[in-house]
Amino acid sequence: MAITFVIVSPQDQLLYEATFPPVSQTDETAHLREFILFASLDILEQVVWSTRDFYLKAIDRFNDQIIYGLVTASSVRLLLVSDGKSEEAVKNFLQEAYELYVKLALNPFFEPCKPILSTSFHERIQKLGKKYFV
């Protein structure tokens, strides 16, 4: 089963999506993983009010899928759906992905709440995925 990582704006717009390992366009479970992630946004909103941490750990479950979350100071949400990978690997991945997002956001040409189309950002996220999940 593939792992899906998304970055969602405070207005619930999908800014970025990656899958580890990369899957073909004919992957039938891709829509299910995306649905699971967006359905967990409501639960994430509740969890945010009960903690002071950015990393929210496992926020939801669907069958054998576990949804992990991290919320930035600007309310951008980083979500990952996994089939039970090591929580330490997930935590490290989300923290390093957050660092990459912050570096991207510091670029003067970065447009907040717009889809992330940077190829270098995508390549770095894919390397993180290989490092922690493949």
Side-chain angles (χ1 to χ4, degrees), residues 1-3 58 60-68 80-90 133:
M1 174 83 171
I3 295 170
D60 196 11
R61 292 180 188 274
F62 178 81
N63 293 338
D64 61 341
Q65 304 293 312
I66 303 171
I67 297 91
Y68 299 91
L80 185 131
V81 62
S82 167
D83 57 353
K85 296 290 181 187
S86 160
E87 186 165 335
E88 191 66 28
V90 170
F133 305 125

Side-chain angles (χ1 to χ4, degrees), residues 115-129:
I116 298 170
L117 303 174
S118 169
T119 55
S120 64
F121 179 80
H122 179 71
E123 289 170 0
R124 290 177 182 173
I125 291 291
Q126 288 297 327
K127 285 181 185 176
L128 281 180

